[in-house]
Amino acid sequence: MGNLLKVLGNMFMKKKKSLPIQITSRLSTQTPEFPKGGCFATGTINLGGLEVCQVSSFNKIWATHEGGPDNLGATFYEPSSMPEGFFVLGHYSQCNNKPLFGWVLGAKPGASEPSSLAMPNGYSLVWTSESQKIKQDNNGYIWLPVAPDGYKAVGYVVTTSPDKPPLERIRCVRSDFTEIVEFDRWIWGLKNVIDPNGLNVYGSRPKDRGVQAMGVSTGSFIVQNIGGSTDVSLPYCLKNTKNTLLAMPNLSQINALIDAYSPIIYFHPNEKYLPSTVNWYFQNGALLYQKGQESSPSPVELDGSNLPQGGSDDGSYWLDLPTDDSSKERVKKGDLDNANAYFHIKPMFGATFTDMTIWVFYPFNGPARAKLEFLTISLGKIGEHVGDWEHLTLRVSNFDGSLKCVYFSEHSGGTLLDASQLEFEKGNKPVAYASLNGHAFYSKPGLVLQGNGRNGIRNDMAKGKVVMDTGARAVVVAADHLTTVEPPWLNYTRKWGPKLSYDIAREIEKVKKVLPGRLKEVFDRVVSGVPNEILGEEGPSGPKMKNNWNGDEKY
C-alpha cells in the first residue's frame, strides 16, 4: 500500500503545473471603467494587419539570485496563456529588486494580412548558465528564433533544457511589421554593475520614439553577450504600419484617466516658491521684454495673446517679474490656490500607449543649497531664476487603460518608475514630492544629492502640509490626436525668464570665502559638475520647446 501511494504521489508531482503568476501592483483599485468609444481600452490593437494584445500573467521559467541591480539576480517568465488565436512573440525578464510588474505582447494575423506571422526555422543558443558559478534555480538557456526569409524575431525563448525549444513555441513577424530596437533599462548581468565586456540583459524599446514614430515595444528583453561563442543579431520590435491612432483615448476617456491617475504633489514644509496659473502670473505684473527696447517692457495680456508666436528661441524676447519690489516678491511666491496642472496628451510606441504629461508652472525657482561633508550651505543667488516649468508623465496602456509607469523630471534628466514602485493616495493617484526651491520631482521624501558621494547640490523632499492635487484644476492644453484650441502662451517659444542679473563667478567666490580651506576644493568639484539649469544662468523655455514635447522622456 505504501509503495502504491508513493507511485501515485510521484505521478501527481510530475503532472502538477505551477499556477500563473500575476503582476504585483500598489494601485489600490482595479483599472477604472472608461466611457465607450473608439478602440481605447478594448484589449487589442490593430497595427494595420497585425492584431496585438498585452499579457500580464506569467509562468516562471528560470531565475538567478545574484548579479544585476542590488546583486539580487533576475527572473525569466513566459506568458501563462494567450487569448484565442494569439501567439507568443517573446518571453519576459525582470530584475529581482522590485515587484513583478510587466507585460509582453502577443499577436495574431489580421484578416487582411494572413502571412504576417510565421514559425521560426530553428533556434540559436545565445547564452547558457551551464558553466557559470552563480546562485540559480537550475541551468538556464536563452534562445533566439531563426526567422524565415522576410521575417524577423522580436523576442527570445528561455528554457531550462539544452534541447532546442519546439518551433511552435513562438512566432516571428514579417519584416514590414518590424523596426529596430535599442537597449532600455538594465535588467541583469553576471556582476552587480554593467559589464561592458560580458553578459548583460536589458529591457527593449524602439530606437525611434516620439509622437510620429511608429515603433511598438513588445515588452520583451535584449541580450548583449560580448565575447560569447555565438554571433547572434538582436531581435526587433513591432511597427504600427498604418500610423493609426484609433486606440488613443477620446476627450471623455482622457478626463476619466485624469480623474483616476492625476498625481498628488507634496511640497517641502520650508518651500516659499509655489506654483501658479500662467494667467495669474500675467495678471499680476509679468512683463515681456524685447532686445534693444529693455527700457519699455510690455505687460502681458491675461491669455498671453500679445506674446510673440512661433519662431525660434533667438534671445530677442523674454519674460520677467514685475519691476517694483513689493509686487516682485509677492509674485515670486506663486498662488497655489489657483494653480493649474496643464496636461499634454500624446501617442507613444506607435499609439499603443498614451503619455499624459502634467506641466506645472512656478513664477520663481529658489536658491540652491549644497552639502559639503558635514556642512549644508546656502549658495546665495546661485540656482535662482524666473519662470520654472516642471513635469510628470503618466504612461498609460491603450490596451486596457492601466497605468504602467510614471516619469519624474529632475532638472536636466529624470527617472522612469513602474507603477508597482510608487506611493499612491486617493485610490490610484501617484504621489510626487517637489524638491525644496528647485522643484524637481521625486517619488519619495528624503535627500538626493547631485554630485559625488557625500557632497553635492541638495534636493530635499518632505511631506509638508501644502499639497497639490493635479486633477483638481486640470486643463488639457494639447492633445496631438484631437482637435484642441491651444492657449497663445503655449506657442511662445522664447525664454520664460531673463538671463542672470548677477555675476555667477562672484557669487561662487562669496560662498568660498566663508568655507574652511579643505572644503573650498570640495565646493569647486561640486560646482563644476552642476548643470547650467541648476546654476540658473537663464530662465527656462516653455513646454513646447522641450525635447519631450514630441519625443520620449530622457532617463
Side-chain angles (χ1 to χ4, degrees), residues 24-32 99 101 257 259-266 393-396 401-408 417-433 442-445 463 467:
T24 302
S25 175
R26 292 185 183 178
L27 276 70
S28 63
T29 58
Q30 297 297 317
T31 300
F101 189 81
L257 289 167
D259 289 342
Y261 302 134
S262 53
I264 304 293
I265 299 173
Y266 279 96
T393 296
L394 312 177
R395 184 155 288 173
V396 174
S402 61
L403 178 65
K404 294 301 185 186
C405 48
V406 176
Y407 178 83
F408 297 79
L417 293 175
D418 293 340
S420 62
Q421 299 174 278
L422 304 178
E423 176 187 351
F424 289 89
E425 289 187 4
K426 298 183 180 180
N428 290 336
K429 293 177 178 287
V431 173
Y433 295 86
Y442 294 88
S443 64
K444 299 176 181 179
K463 185 174 282 190
V467 61

Side-chain angles (χ1 to χ4, degrees), residues 89-154:
L89 299 178
H91 288 180
Y92 177 73
S93 179
Q94 184 175 299
C95 46
N96 291 336
N97 70 338
K98 61 182 181 179
L100 173 62
F101 189 81
W103 52 270
V104 291
L105 295 188
K108 74 174 181 179
S112 62
E113 298 286 353
S115 64
S116 54
L117 297 178
M119 286 194 296
N121 290 336
Y123 294 92
S124 292
L125 181 63
V126 177
W127 180 82
T128 175
S129 66
E130 277 184 353
S131 61
Q132 303 296 327
K133 296 180 180 179
I134 57 175
K135 298 175 184 177
Q136 57 180 328
D137 292 349
N138 41 39
N139 290 332
Y141 303 82
I142 302 177
W143 309 86
L144 182 69
V146 178
D149 290 342
Y151 290 79
K152 302 291 186 184
V154 297

Side-chain angles (χ1 to χ4, degrees), residues 267-289:
F267 298 95
H268 195 278
N270 298 329
E271 183 62 66
K272 297 179 181 178
Y273 308 107
L274 295 169
S276 76
T277 64
V278 169
N279 309 90
W280 180 90
Y281 181 53
F282 296 159
Q283 187 179 32
N284 283 270
L287 296 170
L288 173 66
Y289 285 79

Side-chain angles (χ1 to χ4, degrees), residues 417-466:
L417 293 175
D418 293 340
S420 62
Q421 299 174 278
L422 304 178
E423 176 187 351
F424 289 89
E425 289 187 4
K426 298 183 180 180
N428 290 336
K429 293 177 178 287
V431 173
Y433 295 86
S435 65
L436 177 63
N437 292 348
H439 309 141
F441 285 126
Y442 294 88
S443 64
K444 299 176 181 179
L447 170 64
V448 174
L449 289 176
Q450 285 190 275
N452 295 316
R454 300 173 296 173
N455 306 302
I457 301 298
R458 294 186 67 106
N459 290 277
D460 290 277
M461 289 69 64
K463 185 174 282 190
K465 293 181 180 180
V466 179

